[in-house]
């Protein structure tokens, strides 16, 4: 659904959380401070939620695999005479939506709701993760580039000069390592210094003239939910949702003219991509330097973990072995409590003869023992999977299994819920939220063991 700034969730009367939300929402009006909405956008796994958590002090889900944030999340921070309403968005590779999460992020960015967009870019792979910013630069909304993961870039022998980068693209660039809380204050300082009403000078991507010619044909219909120029470029790129929205918004004759224009200018789509790529290459040429041509530790490990044969073999063994290790560790720790509870039954009965002792020995003590054993087993399994997630191994399993799972109607992102299904179906079904499409989600749920 197209998000509307003025629409909010229905609120009930008197409920504590609704009341709190309402106070938070109106905090700007209540305190007389200016409210600035800041959207955190960027490719999946670039550290948006980590930055959001650092900025707001909240605890959004972070992890080392793409697609964790599947919905918009908000937090507010009062700073000086401003209230910053921070919005953490799902990851998106660009402003052409290929999945539900990308659509949520894209629609929110183009809705006009954000006063500022913080585009999060991975410093270790600037060339790939700056694409979204190249599209954003075409909008009027002020942009700050958060050049995150500077530590990873350094480890991989890359030097990204934030000043030169900023000069090349004409946008403020803040180098940061969000996981170590570096650069977070500078983001706020940059935001404090910005006036969202004031147009930002920038070097936007020069798009082919056909885009503005097509935009003129759109004739700014009031029901068109997108900016004209942007909608024109997406029509040329064949964006399904934008095409449908424009078709519905235009009268028959006008849509005919748009269609004729599009069929006569099919080659422009490639020209748009080429021009964006030139913009990216130019900026990277000026600001990114490969200091040492070394292979990062993760690249070295990936030769095994992403190998078509060895990688699959390791994955095939790693998951059951991890689950088994968790079960064994749980049994050795929590199992002791269960053993003690069962062993101690006669002693309890001897100490408290009668119904009380019998209830404790045969009911309460074994129940507590079983609960302790199960909590330990589940706890260890989760700790092991958390570790695998954090080092990025689960993301590699998704990558390895993607081709196979797509053939049976699911997708690479189904691998993790399917693995969770070996332990607990409730968690696994909840985990299918990350799966890209509704159909893939259903297939995954049906396949759960
Ligand atoms: N080394 C390093 N790791 C980071 C940094 N920032 C975030 N991370 C890690 O990168 C991973 C991804 O972080 P998230 O904040 O979940 O990324 P995201 O962009 O919100 O991801 P999606 O919601 O899936 O799009 C996590 O394991 C973080 O701990 C950083 O500056 N350096
Ligand atoms: Mg996130």
């Amino acid at each position: 659904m197209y998000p509307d700034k003025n629409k909010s969730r229905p609120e009930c009367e008197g409920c504590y959380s609704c009341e709190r939300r309402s106070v938070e929402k109106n905090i700007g009006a209540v305190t007389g401070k200016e409210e600035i909405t800041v959207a955190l956008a960027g490719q999946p796994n670039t550290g948006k939620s980590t930055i959001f958590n650092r900025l707001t002090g909240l605890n959004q889900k972070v992890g080392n695999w793409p697609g964790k944030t599947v919905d918009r999340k908000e937090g507010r921070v009062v700073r000086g005479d401003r209230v910053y309403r921070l919005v953490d968005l799902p990851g998106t590779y660009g402003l052409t939506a290929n999945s539900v999460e990308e659509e949520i992020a894209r629609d929110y960015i183009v809705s006009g709701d954000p006063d500022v967009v913080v585009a999060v870019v991975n410093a270790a792979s600037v060339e790939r993760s700056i694409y979204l910013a190249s599209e954003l630069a075409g909008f009027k909304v002020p942009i700050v580039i958060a050049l995150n993961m500077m530590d990873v870039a350094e480890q991989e022998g890359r030097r990204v000069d934030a000043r030169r980068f900023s000069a090349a693209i004409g946008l403020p660039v803040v180098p940061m390592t969000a996981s170590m809380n570096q650069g977070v204050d500078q983001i706020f300082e940059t935001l404090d210094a910005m006036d969202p009403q004031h147009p930002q000078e920038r070097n936007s991507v020069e798009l082919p003239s056909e885009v503005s010619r097509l935009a003129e044909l759109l004739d700014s219909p009031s029901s068109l939910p997108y900016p004209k120029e942007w909608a024109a470029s997406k029509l040329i790129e064949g964006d399904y949702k934008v095409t449908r929205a424009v078709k519905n918004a235009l009268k028959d004759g006008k849509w005919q003219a748009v269609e004729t224009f599009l069929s006569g200018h099919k080659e422009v789509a490639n020209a748009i991509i080429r021009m964006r790529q030139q913009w990216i290459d130019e900026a990277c040429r000026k600001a990114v330097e490969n200091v040492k041509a070394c292979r990062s530790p993760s690249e070295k490990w990936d030769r095994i973990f992403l190998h078509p044969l060895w990688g699959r073999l390791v994955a095939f063994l790693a998951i059951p072995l991890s689950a088994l290790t968790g079960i064994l560790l749980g049994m050795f720790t929590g199992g002791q409590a269960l053993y003690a509870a069962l062993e101690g039954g006669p002693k309890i009965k001897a100490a408290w003869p009668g119904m009380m002792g019998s209830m404790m020995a045969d009911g309460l003590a074994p129940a507590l023992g079983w609960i302790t054993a199960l909590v330990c087993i589940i706890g260890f399994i989760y700790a092991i999977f958390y570790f695998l997630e954090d080092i990025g191994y689960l993301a590699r399993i998704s990558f390895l299994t993607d081709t196979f799972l797509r053939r049976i109607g699911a997708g690479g992102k189904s691998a993790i819920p399917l693995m969770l299904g070996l332990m607990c179906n409730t968690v696994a079904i909840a985990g299918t939220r990350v799966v890209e499409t509704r159909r893939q989600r259903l297939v995954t749920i049906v396949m759960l063991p």
Side-chain angles (χ1 to χ4, degrees):
M1 221 189 83
Y2 195 72
D4 184 340
K5 189 171 185 171
N6 302 316
K7 276 187 196 158
S8 57
R9 273 202 279 168
E11 285 172 9
C12 61
E13 289 285 318
C15 152
Y16 171 74
S17 56
C18 283
E19 210 167 274
R20 184 162 168 249
R21 209 165 46 234
S22 160
V23 170
E24 279 180 357
K25 204 167 57 193
N26 296 316
I27 198 162
V30 171
T31 54
K33 291 175 190 277
E34 181 190 17
E35 184 168 287
I36 309 281
T37 301
V38 181
L40 285 160
Q43 286 193 356
N45 222 26
T46 47
K48 297 176 295 298
S49 300
T50 310
I51 299 174
F52 175 85
N53 289 346
R54 297 285 184 188
L55 293 173
T56 57
L58 295 174
N59 195 17
Q60 252 284 83
K61 165 85 182 143
V62 300
N64 199 359
W65 50 286
K68 299 158 297 285
T69 310
V70 290
D71 214 342
R72 273 197 281 146
K73 293 283 179 294
E74 287 186 24
R76 281 176 167 75
V77 177
V78 181
R79 236 181 104 84
D81 53 3
R82 278 183 174 175
V83 177
Y84 288 109
R85 173 178 163 238
L86 290 139
V87 183
D88 182 23
L89 293 173
T92 177
Y93 291 93
L95 291 176
T96 302
N98 294 311
S99 67
V100 180
E101 298 95 73
E102 286 201 319
E103 204 170 299
I104 292 172
R106 189 276 293 282
D107 281 356
Y108 184 66
I109 294 167
V110 301
S111 69
D113 193 36
D115 298 307
V116 179
V117 175
V118 173
V120 184
V121 171
N122 182 349
S125 57
V126 183
E127 300 84 347
R128 272 173 279 147
S129 56
I130 193 82
Y131 191 86
L132 175 67
S134 79
E135 291 204 64
L136 286 172
F139 282 84
K140 287 201 181 76
V141 64
I143 300 167
V144 177
I145 303 284
L147 195 57
N148 194 29
M149 306 218 184
M150 289 297 279
D151 59 330
V152 182
E154 197 177 320
Q155 278 162 23
E156 295 186 1
R158 309 194 89 203
R159 193 179 294 145
V160 189
D161 188 319
R163 274 185 200 198
R164 283 199 213 157
F165 197 44
S166 170
I169 58 179
L171 294 169
V173 175
V174 179
M176 57 190 313
T177 300
S179 57
M180 290 185 228
N181 209 14
Q182 287 168 8
V184 177
D185 287 342
Q186 285 83 333
I187 288 279
F188 269 134
E189 282 161 18
T190 312
L191 291 173
D192 288 345
M194 285 178 108
D195 177 2
Q197 313 305 330
H198 195 265
Q200 200 180 28
E201 289 288 324
R202 63 181 63 161
N203 304 336
S204 310
V205 182
E206 202 65 53
L207 290 180
S209 59
E210 284 86 349
V211 176
S212 27
R213 275 170 48 208
L214 178 59
E216 277 165 30
L217 291 181
L218 302 184
D219 201 19
S220 195
S222 54
S223 51
L224 184 66
Y226 304 112
K228 256 191 335 171
E229 285 261 335
W230 180 80
S233 70
K234 290 292 137 187
L235 282 174
I236 291 172
E237 286 175 21
D239 186 298
Y240 158 74
K241 197 179 167 197
V242 175
T243 307
R244 202 180 49 188
V246 174
K247 197 173 174 182
N248 289 341
L250 292 181
K251 301 269 170 346
D252 273 355
K254 281 192 175 170
W255 172 246
Q256 207 104 57
V258 170
E259 251 186 337
T260 314
F261 185 95
L262 289 172
S263 56
H265 296 87
K266 286 195 173 131
E267 74 296 340
V268 185
N270 286 336
I272 295 178
I273 295 173
R274 228 178 12 253
M275 285 168 138
R276 289 200 199 289
Q277 199 54 50
Q278 271 169 10
W279 185 86
I280 294 169
D281 291 345
E282 185 68 13
C284 290
R285 196 176 54 73
K286 288 181 181 158
V288 184
E289 197 185 338
N290 284 318
V291 187
K292 42 182 175 159
C294 65
R295 230 189 211 120
S296 68
S298 88
E299 273 177 318
K300 285 180 196 154
W301 283 110
D302 280 349
R303 293 175 76 188
I304 303 170
F305 291 135
L306 291 181
H307 190 274
L309 178 64
W310 305 123
R312 287 196 172 96
L313 196 68
V314 172
F316 188 72
L317 293 173
I319 298 309
L321 277 179
S322 304
L324 195 67
T325 311
I327 292 170
L328 287 176
L329 285 171
M331 299 247 283
F332 279 119
T333 49
Q336 299 282 348
L338 176 60
Y339 182 73
L342 296 176
E343 274 268 287
K347 284 186 199 150
I348 298 174
K349 278 185 185 162
W352 288 287
M355 209 170 77
M356 182 74 173
S358 165
M359 266 172 61
M360 281 171 68
D362 300 331
L364 195 62
L368 285 176
W370 275 111
I371 290 171
T372 313
L374 284 175
V375 167
C376 286
I377 290 171
I378 292 171
F380 275 113
I381 291 175
Y382 270 90
I384 291 171
F385 275 81
Y386 181 82
F387 171 73
L388 292 179
E389 179 195 313
D390 205 48
I391 60 170
Y393 187 56
L394 295 188
R396 281 156 177 85
I397 291 181
S398 293
F399 176 75
L400 277 176
T401 51
D402 191 60
T403 318
F404 167 71
L405 288 171
R406 270 181 201 278
R407 265 191 219 139
I408 55 172
K413 287 185 182 171
S414 310
I416 293 160
L418 285 172
M419 285 184 291
L420 288 173
L422 294 172
M423 293 163 269
C424 173
N425 273 351
T426 313
V427 177
I429 290 171
T432 57
R433 289 186 72 199
V434 301
V435 179
E436 275 165 29
T437 63
R438 196 179 137 78
R439 190 168 170 274
Q440 289 181 343
R441 220 168 294 146
L442 277 173
V443 173
T444 311
I445 291 171
V446 170
M447 284 198 305
L448 286 175

